[in-house]
Structures are given as structure tokens and as C-alpha cells.
């Protein structure tokens, strides 16, 4: 069986560059923006614990599966599954699962770019000194004004999308490495500085209790969101990590690398939460405030400490870069696929895909202002409406896309990939690609992919339906 395929899109110079790129993909708005607000909404400790369990038992095996599928096939996700399935004597239709994943990635990018735009906007606002000496109420109102203005959000959403598309158009392998080598370590340092600051607020232990006190009655409510977010945070379930695996040099060990990336990503999420909640409590803000949590609490902190203005600018620059390196990995799978399948140039493919995501993203822009009242899936005292203007419950456009991608498509994509690596590819192909010397570790990896992760995903879905 051939194991010496070559990627037409280039390869990373070394295993370290893969680690950098994969960490760049995983660490992003998911850890810094989304994780803390979800912890807030789903009630603290129970959510955190389930998130950690899902990372270890489901997320890491899926990440392993994606990387080894990608590296063996050295092609875009849909083509990778097709080629490997045919090689192993199975149906080429497996590629449909990966295709659905690549579309999911584009849907995620549509709203990811809008929030990435918020962080760009905040770089300027911080630098102008808009937050100097603000009160919590004022920061809340400030954020409210930002998202109430569709033109402002559209402007930054456009800029963010363009910045991501430029790198993709040039080819990921060339564009990503130089920027990430310095910025990722700096981001870690900055988050640690924030953590140090939050220890001085006098509310640090309150934050710790909020994040780690376990309330069993909240488990069922937060289970599916926690699993969905474990996928989101690790960038797995759509082929992002798979396409980066496709550019990975042959001779580097996969499992150790993957566990390292997962640990880094989880570490950033936890530290971001620990840094944020004490500030939230010190400012008397509401932890379950939702998507605005970071954009309200942090400017308040930066606005009220020495050198806060400068630190705030640096922080939002780093967040924007972290978001940008994640956005790239959302676009790359479909770009690689279309480059492989068509004669259109990489630049044109990138342009049209980025434009499509940008257009869909306008829906998210409007859900914070002119379409705020447009509600989908409304359940009104047992009466179900698919769509209703001005309903009290239901989901707005952003909510629908977020729900559909994180809670349904990512876990299904992950299920497809682990089952593929565990059952379809064949034991020998997996052994060859993993090249783990210890038989025990190999057996453990295979066991996680064959049984633990798939059953885990199905159990969480079942628990949600039964709830
Ligand atoms: N993991 C990134 C974050 O936490 C977002 C992301 C990048 C992603 N690629 C992905 C999420 C693929 C799901 C699937 O910000």
C-alpha cells in the first residue's frame, strides 16, 4: 500500500510548524471569547468539568483520527476520505461526511469573522482611550452601541475576512509560520498577565469557585453544549486539523503532538476563564451576560489600571491574530478541495469562498441589530413556530448557525472521522501512520477511536433527546 503521497499544497518545514499551525487553529476566539461566556451561561463548574471530559475522551481521539487520515492521504478532507476508503475496499461515499464538514467550516467562519471584527474594532477603541476610567455600566453601553450599528460591524467583518483571505490565497504553508512564531507565545504571556491582574481584584476566589464548584443538577443542561464546544475549541469535526495533518512531514510522531496541542488549547481556555471571572465579579457584571462578556469585562479592567490603554491594545491585537489564524484553518479545507478538483486558481477559489462566507456573515451582523427580533424555532407554550418576528424565546440567526454547527454538525463530523479511522482505514494503515512503538499505547489509541469516542458522542446525543 502506498504511503508516500505528496501534497500539492506544500508541507510544513517540520513537526514544530505543524504544532504551531494546529495550535494557531485551536487557540482562538473559542478559548478566549466563547468558552468564558458559555461557562457563564451554563452555570460554571458542571460545564467546565464536562468540557474537560469531552476534550479528553472525545476531542483528542477525533483530533488523532483527523491528523492521521490527513497525513496518510495528503489531500483535502473530502478527497482524503474517498481515496483511503477506496484503498481499503470500502465505498467512496465516505467523502460526503467530510464534504459536510467542509461546508460546516464555512458556516462557522461566517460568524467567526464577525466576532473577529469586534476585536479589530476594539484595538482602535482601546488605543483612542475610549475606556479610560469607565464604569461597568458605561462599558456595557459602549458594547451595546457597537453591536447596534450594522455598518460598523460590517466594516470590521469585511476587513477581518479580507485579512484571512490574503494568507489563504498565498498558500497557508508560506503565510502562517512567520506570524505565529512570535505571536502565539506573546498571547500566552498576555493572558498570564491578565491572570495576575485578576488575582489582585480581591474576587479571585469567587472566580475559582464559579468555575470549579460542581453542581450536579446543571449537568444535563450543559452536556451537549460542552461537547459541542470541545469540538469547537480543538478545531475538530470539519477537517481543519485534517488538512493541516496533510501538510505534516512523514517522520514525526502524531499522538504526542496532538496531546500537546490539546493541552495548550485547554490551558488557554481555563486561564482565560480564571482571568475573566474575577474581573466580572469585581465589576458587578452578570456572568451569564452572553457573547458580550469578554468585550465588556476586559475593557473595564484595562480602563482602570496603570498602562491599561497600552496593554489593552496589545491584548486585542493578539486576540485578533489568534482569531485570524483560526479563521484560516476554517477556510483552508474547502479551498484545498476546490484547488484539487477544479482548474480555477487558488486566489479565485479563495476570493469566492471568502465572499460567500462574508455574505452569510451579514446575517450574524444583523442578528445583533436590525434582525434582533427575527426568531427561529420558537416554542410558545408547546406550540412550535419555525419563525416568528418578535417572539420572546427562540434563536436569532447567529443562534441558529451556532446551534446547528457546534451542537449538531461538529459532533457528527467527529463521529464520521473516528469511525473512519477506527473501522474503515484498517488496523495496519493506522499502525503505520501513528508509528507508535509501544503496543499498549497503540491499543489505547485504537480503543479510544473505535469505542470510547463514538459511544461517547452517541451517549451525549441520547442524553439530550431523553432530557
Ligand atoms: N478552534 C478555533 C477557536 O477556538 C475555531 C476553529 C478553527 C474551529 N477551526 C475550526 C472550530 C474547525 C470548529 C472547527 O477559536
Amino acid at each position: 500500500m502506498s504511503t508516500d503521497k505528496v501534497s500539492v499544497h506544500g508541507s510544513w518545514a517540520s513537526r514544530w510548524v505543524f504544532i504551531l499551525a494546529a495550535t494557531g487553529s485551536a487557540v482562538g476566539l473559542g478559548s478566549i471569547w466563547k468558552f468564558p461566556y458559555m461557562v457563564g451561561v451554563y452555570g460554571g463548574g458542571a460545564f467546565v468539568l464536562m468540557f474537560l471530559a469531552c476534550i479528553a475522551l472525545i476531542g483528542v481521539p477525533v483530533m488523532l483520527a483527523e491528523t492521521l487520515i490527513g497525513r496518510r492521504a495528503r489531500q483535502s478532507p473530502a478527497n482524503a476520505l474517498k481515496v483511503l476508503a477506496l484503498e481499503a475496499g470500502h465505498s467512496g461515499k465516505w467523502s460526503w461526511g467530510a464534504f459536510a464538514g467542509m461546508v460546516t467550516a464555512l458556516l462557522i467562519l461566517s460568524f467567526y469573522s464577525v466576532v473577529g471584527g469586534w476585536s479589530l474594532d476594539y484595538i482602535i477603541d482601546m488605543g483612542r482611550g475610549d475606556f479610560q476610567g469607565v464604569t461597568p455600566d458605561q462599558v456595557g453601553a459602549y458594547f451595546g452601541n457597537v453591536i447596534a450599528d450594522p455598518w460598523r460591524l460590517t466594516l470590521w467583518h469585511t476587513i477581518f475576512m479580507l485579512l484571512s483571505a490574503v494568507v489563504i490565497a498565498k498558500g497557508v504553508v508560506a503565510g502562517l509560520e512567520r506570524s505565529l512564531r512570535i505571536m502565539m507565545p506573546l498571547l500566552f504571556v498576555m493572558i498570564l498577565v491578565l491572570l495576575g491582574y485578576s488575582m489582585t481584584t480581591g474576587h479571585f476566589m469567587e472566580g475559582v469557585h464559579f468555575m470549579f464548584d460542581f453542581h450536579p443538577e446543571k449537568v444535563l443542561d450543559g452536556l451537549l453544549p460542552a461537547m459541542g464546544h470541545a469540538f469547537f475549541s480543538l478545531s475538530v469535526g470539519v477537517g481543519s486539523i485534517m488538512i493541516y495533518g496533510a501538510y505534516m512531514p512523514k517522520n514525526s510522531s502524531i499522538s504526542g503532538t496532538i496531546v500537546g496541542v490539546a493541552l495548550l488549547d485547554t490551558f488557554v481556555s481555563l486561564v482565560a476563564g480564571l482571568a475573566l471571572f474575577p474581573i466580572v465579579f469585581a465589576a458587578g457584571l452578570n456572568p451569564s451576560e452572553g457573547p458580550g462578556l469578554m468585550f465588556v469585562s476586559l475593557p473595564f479592567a484595562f480602563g482602570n489600571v496603570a498602562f491599561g490603554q497600552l496593554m489593552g491594545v496589545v491584548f486585542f491585537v493578539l486576540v485578533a491574530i489568534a482569531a485570524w489564524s483560526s479563521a484560516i484553518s476554517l477556510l483552508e479545507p474547502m479551498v484545498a478541495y476546490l484547488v484539487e478538483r477544479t482548474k480555477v486558481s487558488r486566489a479565485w477559489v479563495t476570493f469566492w469562498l471568502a465572499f460567500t462566507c462574508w455574505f452569510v456573515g451579514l446575517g450574524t451582523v444583523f442578528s445583533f441589530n436590525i434582525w434582533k427580533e427575527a426568531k427561529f424555532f420558537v416554542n410558545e407554550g408547546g406550540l412550535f413556530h419555525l419563525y416568528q418576528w418578535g417572539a420572546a424565546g427562540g434563536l436569532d440567526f447567529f443562534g441558529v448557525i451556532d446551534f446547528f454547527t457546534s451542537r449538531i454538525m461538529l459532533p457528527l463530523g467527529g463521529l464520521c472521522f473516528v469511525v473512519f479511522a477506527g473501522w474503515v482505514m484498517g488496523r495496519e494503515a493506522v499502525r503505520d501512520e501513528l508509528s507508535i512503538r509501544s503496543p499498549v499505547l497503540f491499543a489505547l489509541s485504537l480503543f479510544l477511536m473505535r469505542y470510547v469516542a463514538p459511544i461517547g458522542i452517541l451517549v451525549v446525543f441520547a442524553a439530550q433527546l431523553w432530557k
Side-chain angles (χ1 to χ4, degrees):
M1 203 178 285
S2 78
T3 57
D4 47 0
K5 299 188 176 71
V6 179
S7 152
V8 297
H9 314 285
S11 311
W12 311 116
S14 71
R15 168 173 172 237
W16 287 108
V17 186
F18 171 79
I19 296 185
L20 207 62
T23 313
S25 165
V27 175
L29 296 171
S31 303
I32 306 166
W33 159 73
K34 204 172 183 207
F35 175 72
Y37 95 65
M38 291 187 75
V39 174
V41 170
Y42 291 101
F47 179 85
V48 175
L49 192 79
M50 284 180 300
F51 170 74
L52 295 177
C54 289
I55 291 267
L57 297 176
I58 299 175
V60 169
V62 174
M63 207 172 187
L64 198 62
E66 279 200 28
T67 316
L68 71 92
I69 294 172
R71 194 172 70 167
R72 191 158 186 89
R74 298 226 175 274
Q75 298 175 37
S76 68
N79 283 335
L81 263 67
K82 182 169 193 170
V83 168
L84 296 183
L86 294 176
E87 238 175 51
H90 288 265
S91 155
K93 294 212 170 70
W94 276 97
S95 69
W96 293 3
F99 193 83
M102 300 190 311
V103 174
T104 305
L106 299 180
L107 286 176
I108 293 179
L109 180 59
S110 77
F111 72 79
Y112 205 86
S113 166
V114 175
V115 181
W118 297 354
S119 25
L120 291 177
D121 186 329
Y122 268 53
I123 298 173
I124 308 284
D125 307 342
M126 272 285 164
R128 265 198 317 238
D130 286 3
F131 299 107
Q132 289 306 299
V134 284
T135 63
D137 286 346
Q138 286 167 338
V139 223
Y142 192 99
F143 180 72
N145 281 336
V146 172
I147 58 171
D149 182 349
W151 291 107
R152 183 167 180 173
L153 296 192
T154 303
L155 172 72
W156 291 109
H157 165 48
T158 311
I159 296 178
F160 186 89
M161 194 65 92
L162 280 175
L163 289 175
S164 311
V166 166
V167 177
I168 298 261
K170 286 193 180 149
V172 169
V173 169
L176 210 55
E177 179 182 356
R178 221 169 316 132
S179 9
L180 288 184
R181 212 172 264 259
I182 309 164
M183 295 307 176
M184 290 309 286
L186 254 182
L187 178 70
F188 291 128
V189 172
M190 198 62 209
I191 293 178
L192 289 175
V193 169
L194 267 180
L195 180 68
Y197 167 75
S198 77
M199 288 178 177
T200 68
T201 56
H203 292 259
F204 188 68
M205 287 319 290
E206 207 176 322
V208 172
H209 281 297
F210 183 70
M211 273 187 67
F212 295 106
D213 283 358
F214 184 64
H215 296 284
E217 74 280 4
K218 292 186 176 159
V219 165
L220 265 188
D221 278 344
L223 187 55
L224 181 62
M227 176 171 80
H229 189 64
F231 280 96
F232 189 96
S233 191
L234 291 179
S235 299
V236 295
V238 304
S240 277
I241 294 293
M242 190 183 294
I243 193 72
Y244 282 5
Y247 309 155
M248 192 177 184
K250 171 70 193 162
N251 49 11
S252 41
S253 115
I254 292 184
S255 338
T257 312
I258 290 305
V259 171
V261 173
L263 282 176
L264 271 177
D265 181 64
T266 311
F267 177 76
V268 173
S269 302
L270 292 178
V271 176
L274 279 176
L276 214 79
F277 283 111
I279 298 174
V280 167
F281 293 124
L285 297 165
N286 177 4
S288 59
E289 123 119 39
L293 191 64
M294 166 187 138
F295 291 93
V296 174
S297 54
L298 293 186
F300 167 72
F302 286 126
N304 291 285
V305 292
F307 307 112
Q309 191 170 351
L310 177 66
M311 281 202 305
V313 171
V314 174
F315 177 78
F316 280 103
V317 168
L318 295 172
V319 170
I321 293 173
W324 165 84
S325 59
S326 302
I328 290 170
S329 74
L330 285 164
L331 201 49
E332 178 68 13
M334 190 62 104
V335 169
Y337 176 73
L338 291 179
V339 168
E340 285 161 12
R341 290 300 294 264
T342 65
K343 294 212 161 57
V344 185
S345 74
R346 191 175 178 93
W348 269 112
V349 166
T350 308
F351 174 80
W352 282 110
L353 285 179
F355 177 78
T356 310
C357 291
W358 174 85
F359 186 75
V360 177
L362 292 179
T364 292
V365 164
F366 298 152
S367 23
F368 294 102
N369 35 68
I370 53 181
W371 288 357
K372 210 170 169 175
E373 302 301 327
K375 295 292 173 58
F376 300 84
F377 305 108
V378 181
N379 188 349
E380 218 180 29
L383 215 60
F384 181 79
H385 304 273
L386 195 56
Y387 171 79
Q388 203 177 35
W389 183 265
L395 296 167
D396 58 16
F397 184 86
F398 163 58
V400 172
I401 300 252
D402 183 32
F403 186 95
F404 177 69
T405 54
S406 286
R407 312 234 170 126
I408 300 176
M409 292 312 285
L410 292 183
L412 286 180
L415 186 62
C416 168
F417 297 149
V418 268
V419 168
F420 189 85
W423 297 98
V424 176
M425 257 174 90
R427 182 184 261 274
E428 285 323 305
V430 172
R431 190 197 302 277
D432 178 42
E433 212 46 63
L434 280 179
S435 44
I436 302 179
R437 254 173 255 122
S438 140
V440 179
L441 273 183
F442 173 69
L444 176 69
S445 308
L446 201 62
F447 182 70
L448 284 170
M449 290 191 292
R450 282 194 159 176
Y451 302 100
V452 178
I455 294 175
I457 295 171
L458 294 175
V459 166
V460 174
F461 274 140
Q464 178 71 20
L465 291 177
W466 166 77
K467 182 176 85 153

